Amino acid sequence: MPLLFARPRRVMLAVLVVGMPLAAAVAAGLAADNAGESLREQGSAQLSLYESNLRTELERHAAVPMVLAHDREVADLLRDPSPERVDHLNRKLEAIAATLKASALYVMNGTGTTVAASNWNASPSFVGQNFSYRPYFQSAMERGEGHHFALGTTSLVPGYYTAQRVVAENRTEDRPAGVVVLKVGFQELERAWSHGQEKVLVSDRDGVVFITNVEAWRYNALPRRLPVTLPAAAVPATEEIPTLPWAFGGASDRITLREGNAERRYLLQSAAVPGGDWTIHALTSLAPVATRAQQAGLLAAAVVALAALTGHALAQRRLNLVERLALQEEARAELERRVAAATAELRATENELTQAAKLAALGQMSAAMAHEINQPLAAIRSFADNAVVLLERGRPDSVRDNLAEIADLTDRMAAITRSLKGFARRASGTLGAVSAAAAVGQALALLEARLRRDSVTVDTDLPAGPLLVTGEDVRLQQVLVNLIGNAADAMRASPHRHVRIALVAEGEEAVLTVRDSGPGIAEADLPRIFVPFFTTKDAGDGLGLGLSISHGIVEDFGGSLTAANHPEGGALFTVRLKRRDTQT
């Protein structure tokens, strides 16, 4: 401290001259390492996604040749290629290829000559061409199926060929009658990849790129030495195939590319495509790593400079400023502690209120279920007593009838407890396809005892067929239980208590409405009906969380929940959910 106070200017200059560059270098190095590792993890995830896209593109067409290989029309054509059969199959293959957006779909006989093709009316057409020299044909004839990527000799369009052997059945032996071949291109996949930030390419066993979202790299060869190392001089490829213009980027997984007038560095990650001789590569720009390192270095330098200036100011102002800063720090810490304590107390109160609402709903439902179970329990006791008397009187047939009644009553009790257990089950949080009509039925089953006790009649208008929506069954039941239960509560003072539930499909949505015959909702209350803790019920009848929670659940499903008054009287709640049965 004495030296600091005696020579503050020299200390500040020493910190600025030595500390700033050192701090900037250390911070930049650490930031670059962290950013590089983060980028490597992100790139690995993206590479897996691209590899999955490629595998999906290959697999979704694999079943087509297999199905056609077992098609009787194909077998009949190979057995007797009459003009009528050829014309019919040509048009059929043309329609299938158009639906799949495939490059070509064709049938070859046992000698490799194409007898029917989707491009039968195009020029040039595969019909009449002999492709017996193709590896996919030879593999399919020998092993039952074949796969190959090549440039079309007739169409001059590259594609991936999937072939399936057709076996003609006769009485003595099964012999190969021909092959069904599907050719697909990867233009759609490349267009999808072009929207990503990475440069993606797929190479074959010879290191030649045939799928990529960089047009200039297609049909170029990878450098012979991977990873690229110094010296960066290009090694000429064989058969006059150009080599990708990759140069050493400073590490085994980094390369440099010249783009325009600048050189840019990329992270290179590769993975083998399962089930083939292909390798997929992804190049992720290292610009974010350099930017983050630069920002960290500048920030560290600024922090050191600020610290030096602060130290100089502290030395000038002596201990009084240090004491003032200490007091300010203590006050700030105390304020943060109080804010944290108040926030924790508020969250605890909110959790307690939410839990109280859940327990209240389960308590009401459990009470109704207990009342509903008491009736079959009493009946079981009565039947059991009667069975004892009947057994003593030697009437086994009547005893058997009583036992059957007891079994039916236990099934009824099991159904009641199963419904309550399903409702109390914790929601999975995973959205999927849910039957809206089934959710209505389950909610009504849960509320059956309460509705019957309050003399509430329910009228449902549900579609005959399944109507699937996006949601989660337990939470959708919770929404319906809240809406139907609120409707029953609203009609307590009404002489006529009726609830109508309707479910209809409107375009891409399913519309579920719950209408009651109560007094409706006051116009002043409509804007606040979904606000947490707002309720029109008497004190002790509710916390005002049911509709708020239901509103949040429906929005989480991607739908909407609205409230209104029906023109003919009563409240009307409308739930709109996304349909799943219209999606492909």
Side-chain angles (χ1 to χ4, degrees):
M1 290 294 293
L3 180 60
L4 179 62
F5 294 146
R7 301 176 181 177
R9 189 180 299 275
R10 293 183 181 179
V11 174
M12 181 186 68
L13 290 176
V15 172
L16 293 177
V17 172
V18 178
M20 283 182 59
L22 180 61
V26 173
L30 293 176
D33 291 341
N34 293 335
E37 184 62 27
S38 176
L39 189 68
R40 188 173 291 104
E41 294 176 358
Q42 177 183 349
S44 179
Q46 286 295 113
L47 184 65
S48 298
L49 179 60
Y50 290 130
E51 188 270 333
S52 178
N53 294 152
L54 176 60
R55 188 170 62 252
T56 301
E57 185 71 15
L58 297 176
E59 292 176 352
R60 74 187 186 94
H61 294 105
V64 175
M66 182 181 299
V67 172
L68 287 176
H70 294 82
D71 192 330
R72 181 170 296 276
E73 293 183 3
V74 174
D76 292 342
L77 174 71
L78 292 173
R79 178 177 51 80
D80 181 17
S82 65
E84 294 79 8
R85 289 177 175 171
V86 170
D87 181 70
H88 175 72
L89 194 58
N90 279 335
R91 299 180 187 277
K92 180 176 180 178
L93 296 177
E94 181 182 18
I96 296 175
T99 302
L100 297 175
K101 296 182 180 179
S103 300
L105 180 61
Y106 51 101
V107 178
M108 305 164 61
N109 61 21
T111 63
T113 300
T114 303
V115 294
S118 60
N119 60 0
W120 61 277
N121 58 351
S123 180
S125 171
F126 289 179
V127 177
Q129 300 288 334
N130 188 286
F131 300 122
S132 59
Y133 58 91
R134 284 292 199 176
Y136 60 81
F137 173 79
Q138 299 171 2
S139 178
M141 292 292 287
E142 294 175 2
R143 297 192 297 270
E145 62 176 333
H147 305 276
H148 186 61
F149 181 88
L151 184 69
T153 56
T154 302
S155 62
L156 302 180
V157 175
Y160 183 69
Y161 297 82
T162 300
Q164 190 72 30
R165 182 176 62 194
V166 179
V167 177
E169 298 181 358
N170 56 40
R171 297 182 179 178
T172 58
E173 62 176 350
D174 289 343
R175 56 183 179 80
V179 172
V180 178
V181 185
L182 175 67
K183 175 184 178 183
V184 294
F186 297 98
Q187 295 82 1
E188 295 292 335
L189 183 64
E190 291 176 338
R191 275 194 290 270
W193 286 354
S194 65
H195 297 298
Q197 298 180 352
E198 293 80 13
K199 301 180 185 297
V200 188
L201 58 153
V202 180
S203 60
D204 60 14
R205 67 172 67 184
D206 298 321
V208 177
V209 177
F210 61 92
I211 305 176
T212 178
N213 59 358
V214 182
E215 185 66 27
W217 289 1
R218 188 176 290 107
Y219 306 128
N220 281 240
L222 295 174
R224 287 187 181 180
R225 292 193 296 267
L226 281 180
V228 180
T229 58
L230 289 175
V235 179
T238 59
E239 301 180 2
E240 300 181 353
I241 298 178
T243 304
L244 292 176
W246 292 359
F248 182 66
S252 60
D253 59 350
R254 301 186 179 189
I255 65 171
T256 300
L257 294 176
R258 175 166 290 279
E259 299 177 349
N261 296 325
E263 287 188 349
R264 292 183 172 83
R265 297 168 64 241
Y266 290 86
L267 174 68
L268 172 62
Q269 294 175 294
S270 305
V273 179
D277 298 322
W278 300 356
T279 305
I280 185 169
H281 313 269
L283 274 66
T284 307
S285 175
L286 289 167
V289 175
T291 301
R292 189 176 300 182
Q294 183 180 14
Q295 292 174 346
L298 293 175
L299 180 61
V303 169
V304 172
L306 182 61
L309 294 175
T310 302
H312 181 264
L314 290 174
Q316 296 293 328
R317 297 181 182 183
R318 307 283 177 154
L319 294 177
N320 58 342
L321 185 57
V322 174
E323 294 175 357
R324 186 184 307 170
L325 290 175
L327 291 175
Q328 292 177 353
E329 179 64 21
E330 183 179 354
R332 184 187 64 80
E334 177 65 18
L335 179 60
E336 289 182 352
R337 186 190 64 78
R338 293 183 179 181
V339 170
T343 302
E345 184 178 357
L346 180 61
R347 288 179 179 174
T349 303
E350 181 180 354
N351 290 337
E352 289 178 1
L353 290 174
T354 302
Q355 186 64 20
K358 292 181 180 179
L359 293 177
L362 286 175
Q364 293 176 356
M365 197 174 300
S366 298
M369 290 296 180
H371 177 73
E372 186 72 7
I373 289 175
N374 280 335
Q375 295 180 357
L377 278 176
I380 288 174
R381 179 56 186 268
S382 177
F383 279 122
D385 293 340
N386 290 340
V388 173
V389 174
L390 292 172
L391 190 62
E392 292 175 350
R393 295 180 179 179
R395 297 172 58 184
D397 293 338
S398 299
V399 172
R400 186 180 297 105
D401 295 338
N402 277 19
L403 293 178
E405 292 291 343
I406 291 174
D408 292 340
L409 289 171
T410 56
D411 290 340
R412 177 184 173 188
M413 293 169 61
I416 293 173
T417 56
R418 186 165 53 248
S419 300
L420 183 60
K421 180 180 178 182
F423 180 75
R425 177 170 55 89
R426 183 181 299 273
S428 65
T430 302
L431 300 184
V434 178
S435 172
V440 172
Q442 291 162 353
L444 290 176
L446 289 169
L447 295 170
E448 179 183 2
R450 178 185 174 185
L451 296 174
R452 185 169 59 251
R453 181 194 63 197
D454 294 341
S455 300
V456 177
T457 60
V458 179
D459 180 19
T460 59
D461 184 7
L462 306 177
L467 182 55
L468 301 181
V469 297
T470 297
E472 202 273 331
D473 55 352
V474 174
R475 291 195 288 167
L476 183 56
Q477 292 176 38
Q478 181 179 354
V479 171
L480 293 171
V481 167
N482 280 333
L483 296 181
I484 300 172
N486 285 346
D489 291 339
M491 298 184 296
R492 287 178 179 175
S494 301
H496 177 64
R497 303 169 188 174
H498 181 73
V499 175
R500 176 175 174 79
I501 304 173
L503 175 64
V504 296
E506 292 185 2
E508 298 295 324
E509 291 183 328
V511 181
L512 178 65
T513 57
V514 179
R515 176 192 171 192
D516 60 57
S517 59
I521 306 171
E523 293 296 330
D525 294 338
L526 278 174
R528 301 180 294 167
I529 198 70
F530 297 114
V531 175
F533 306 107
F534 173 77
T535 180
T536 59
K537 299 178 181 179
D538 296 335
D541 285 347
L543 297 174
L545 290 174
L547 287 178
S548 174
I549 294 173
S550 298
H551 189 269
I553 290 174
V554 175
E555 284 194 339
D556 188 35
F557 292 168
S560 63
L561 172 60
T562 57
N565 288 314
H566 196 273
E568 299 179 2
L572 176 67
F573 286 85
T574 303
V575 180
R576 292 183 174 272
L577 297 171
K578 295 180 180 179
R579 293 177 59 187
R580 290 293 290 265
D581 49 3
T582 61
Q583 301 175 3
T584 59

